[in-house]
Amino acid sequence: MAQDLVALSSDYQFWMQKLSVWDQASTLETQQDTCLHLPQFQEFLRQMYEVLKEMDSSAITERFPTIGQLLAKVCRNPFILAYDESQKILIWCLCCLINKDPRNSGESKLNSWTRGLLSCILSTFRFDIKEVGLFTRGLGYAPTAYYPGLLKNMVLSLVSELRENHLNGFNTQRRMAPERITSLSRVCVPLVTLPEFEPLVEALLTYHGHEPQEVLCPEFFDAVNEAFLLKKISLPASAILCLWLRHLPSLENTMLHLFEKLVFSERNFLRRIECFMKDLLLPEAACHPAVFRVVDEMFRYALLETDGAPEVLAALQVFTRCFVEALEKENKQLRFAFKTYFPYASPSLVVTLLQHPKDIPRGLWSQPLRRISEMLQEIVEGQTHGSYGGPFESWFLFVHFGEWADIAAEQLLMVEAEAEAPEALLWLLAFSGSPGAGRRQRSQTMAEVKAVLGRLTKLLRSPTLSARDLQAAAGGGRGGDPSPPACGQLTRRLLLNFLLWAPGGRAIAREVITLIAQTDAITHEVIGFLDQTLYRWDHLCVEAPRPRELARELLTELRGQA
Amino acid sequence: MESLVEHLERFSEVLAVSRTSHVSSWDPATVRRALQWAHYLRHVYRRFGRHARIRTALEQRLQNQWKQEGDSGPAPAPGLVNFQALEHCDHLLSLRLLANRALGDAAFQYLLQQLFPGPGVPDAEEETLQGSLALLARRRAAVHLLHFNAYRENPVLQEDSLMKTQAELLLERLQEVGEGEAQGPGRFLSSLWERVPQNNFLKVIAAALLLPPSSPWLQGEELEPGSPKTPREGGQELLHWLLGKSDVMTAFCRSLPAELLTSVAGRYPELSRVYLGLLIDWGRHLNYDLQKGIWFGTEPRDVPWEELFSRFQTLCQAPPPLKDEVLTALKSCKAQDGDFEVPGLSIWTDLLLALGSSA
């Protein structure tokens, strides 16, 4: 508490100084500075209130002798009063200053002064427009009755002015000067979350002046995007698209917001991530190639930074799926448009990857898988290497459509017991696990996976299947020989698929998972696998009632433990 | 019903007192009761807002009350003026008490606790008073910001947001007064004319007459089907009153800009005839100065030639029926004067010549 107070005191000085500057000069610069600090100042007010409410009035004046000055300056600042909840918190702070039974004239004076401020915020005429105030009072309306109507009309009038301007920008008579539009956008910064302002925000976002440079101020874009992310404003997709095309940081912030959700609150809830992306209108907006490229770049960096975190991979897949859906809605000819979105990829590979597994009978899934594998192999290990980027680029393209790798893992387990596991599928699986591996390392992984598969298929026919046997078959079979790092994850994926699909596996699934999930990281990996699998089965309409039921149960149980 | 009406009357009294120094005798318990009443009446509004019979009955009571108050002093106390006001009666009471310095410290402290309990208070039924008062403060600041930083007076008066808002409020109010009593609107307008700045009022009248017939403002409050009577639209009431008050009508035609009057005249033929009559009357007062070759007025209140000409000129730029009527009227005046073709003998000849050369 004492430490908080010290920090608060230094903040107090800082804001006192700021408020004095803002108070004295209402220039463009001070307005801009005010807009920039609105959220921070609100936070300060909130902290201030938390401290004030614990003290009585005389303790407050002793501790903060200039508190009255500070709050009075706030009361005079329409930007702060118009922002979010600042006016409410300010009122709370003022309430703390009121002394219930004043004992001397000083305390009475403070009370009277505070009451003046409170009524200034809420009901005096200082902010009123004279003739309107007189007229409405004459009509018998309370002075406050005309605000909603006036606000609506002001907004409508500005909206139509902007539209007109947009249409005949060279008609100088009623033309809005660029500076006026800039100033209007600045004034809107604290106001974007007022419902009355939605039409104006939309008109500003979709307004394109005749000036080469941006006329809207950056704080406006920030404020709108922030409000949009927090769902405090509802805007049509076209306006959001304009926002992101005009102001790149807004789009970047949106993506960061998404990644935050992925890592913290919505980790391993793909359905929610899908809803979240759709709420943010990301797939729709990404139909604009410029937006797509930025989103895609952000995914690429996120993957590089996190060393291919499974959450990010899964989100990229969900995004790609929703994006393709949105594109299909907009443009039936999407297969030809793909060059725009993946300019450096091999067109035939893109087309193959784009095939929706749902449109192909399940028995034939291995065909596209083989083709994808061959094409990738040729690009990564063959001669065409240079023209389509390095292995990472190919891998990055492939993981957009990562469900193919998941399908490959499932397919490998379905292979007849005596048959050899198809090399193409093994290669695809190994490649999806570690794009950076060289040819030798990949062969080693393939051999390892193949061996695990062999052991697992043998166990399929074993009449007495035990959890220990399965664990041994999946990994710890041989001691000493160091496996490639990606191997562990791959074999766990195979093992988990085995548990879901093999009747014997289902019976001991819980036991096996308890054995392998020794660390938090592996538990999360299992949760992620189950979540992604169920998500994929749902949208591919895979009919597998028993595996699905088990997966759902396991997921609920593990989420409960995590 | 009777108890409800009684409640309403008692609360109106409370509201009236809330602005006076009598609140110095209020203690926390009085404040609590007053707030409870306001809360109850707001509840009544939500409950019966769409119930035409109850609504009309209450509206009539309120009108009577308002009339009495209006008779007793120069300006009626803004307060519970219509049924709509019940929706915000708790605001009104709270704001008045907050602003009333006569309220004692204990009572004021209690009022603050009730209005602003602080964070973490769950929003009980719908919005809390705390939230709506804060929103009110926010909207005030918003209006202020827009007005001083982004607003620009619209040369087309009826599209100017300040004018439009006043016009909408006027029409809304007229409608309510009309619902209470048939003679209400006229009496109300006459009393208003005495009380508010007249120049602004004239502009508001013009803007109100030019609002689109079904302004969205009025659509929000639909009465349930089969409501006892359909009130005349506020615009008609306004026109009726304006045409019946020759002094106001003269001021209206004299002080408003020519373009605005032409728009109003184009919309209302009855009004355009009176306007034209006034213009002709003004023209007859002008004399010709042979030496300077101009038409001039002998009295200060006479309308100068330039103004007369510009009013006729604007009328002649209006779309057909109006334009034709104006020209026909001018020609018939010219014929009455002797149908001269040379300038300086009849003002109508000269006006027609000037209009012809400018057209």
Side-chain angles (χ1 to χ4, degrees), chain A residues 308-320:
Chain A
E311 291 87 355
V312 183
L313 276 172
L316 175 60
Q317 279 174 46
V318 174
F319 165 75
T320 311

Side-chain angles (χ1 to χ4, degrees), chain B residues 63 170 173-192 232-234 236-238 240-241:
Chain B
Q63 294 308 328
L170 175 64
R173 195 77 187 81
L174 283 178
Q175 182 125 357
E176 288 152 6
V177 177
E179 273 172 39
E181 187 194 358
Q183 299 304 311
R187 202 159 46 213
F188 173 75
L189 284 165
S190 298
S191 116
L192 198 59
R232 270 209 282 175
E233 268 209 29
Q236 285 302 319
E237 299 287 4
L238 187 56
H240 182 71
W241 174 79

Side-chain angles (χ1 to χ4, degrees), chain A residues 198-219:
Chain A
E198 277 173 15
L200 183 56
V201 172
E202 188 190 339
L204 280 169
L205 287 175
T206 48
Y207 168 82
H208 286 283
H210 303 266
E211 300 75 26
Q213 73 280 34
E214 182 55 74
V215 283
L216 304 182
C217 73
E219 294 83 13

Side-chain angles (χ1 to χ4, degrees), chain A residues 156-172:
Chain A
L156 285 180
S157 149
L158 285 163
V159 167
S160 65
E161 240 185 294
L162 278 168
R163 299 246 158 88
E164 267 172 53
N165 214 38
H166 188 52
L167 292 176
N168 48 10
F170 298 104
N171 174 2
T172 46

Side-chain angles (χ1 to χ4, degrees), chain B residues 283-356:
Chain B
R284 291 210 172 103
H285 276 87
L286 297 189
N287 297 312
Y288 191 69
D289 184 327
L290 271 171
Q291 284 179 340
K292 292 186 191 153
I294 51 163
W295 292 89
F296 68 98
T298 47
E299 287 178 54
R301 63 189 176 95
D302 282 338
V303 180
W305 157 268
E306 293 76 17
E307 196 188 319
L308 203 60
F309 169 70
S310 102
R311 283 177 191 256
F312 274 113
Q313 190 185 31
T314 320
L315 281 170
C316 286
Q317 285 158 359
L322 183 57
K323 176 188 175 175
D324 300 340
E325 274 167 40
V326 172
L327 287 175
T328 314
L330 279 174
K331 280 174 192 155
S332 103
C333 285
K334 181 185 154 207
Q336 278 172 26
D337 269 8
D339 228 349
F340 296 107
E341 294 298 338
V342 276
L345 290 174
S346 160
I347 188 165
W348 313 118
T349 308
D350 290 11
L351 271 173
L352 280 165
L353 280 172
L355 288 170

Side-chain angles (χ1 to χ4, degrees), chain A residues 412-460:
Chain A
L412 279 169
L413 275 171
M414 316 267 170
V415 170
E416 288 300 312
E418 285 77 19
E420 276 268 298
E423 287 287 320
L425 268 56
L426 284 174
W427 188 90
L428 203 58
L429 211 56
F431 178 65
S432 78
S434 59
R439 194 190 286 230
R440 236 193 58 215
Q441 209 178 344
R442 199 156 29 240
S443 316
Q444 201 184 335
T445 306
M446 283 165 68
E448 184 99 355
V449 170
K450 202 169 173 176
V452 171
L453 271 172
R455 291 198 289 275
L456 284 177
T457 30
K458 226 172 257 156
L459 284 176
L460 257 182

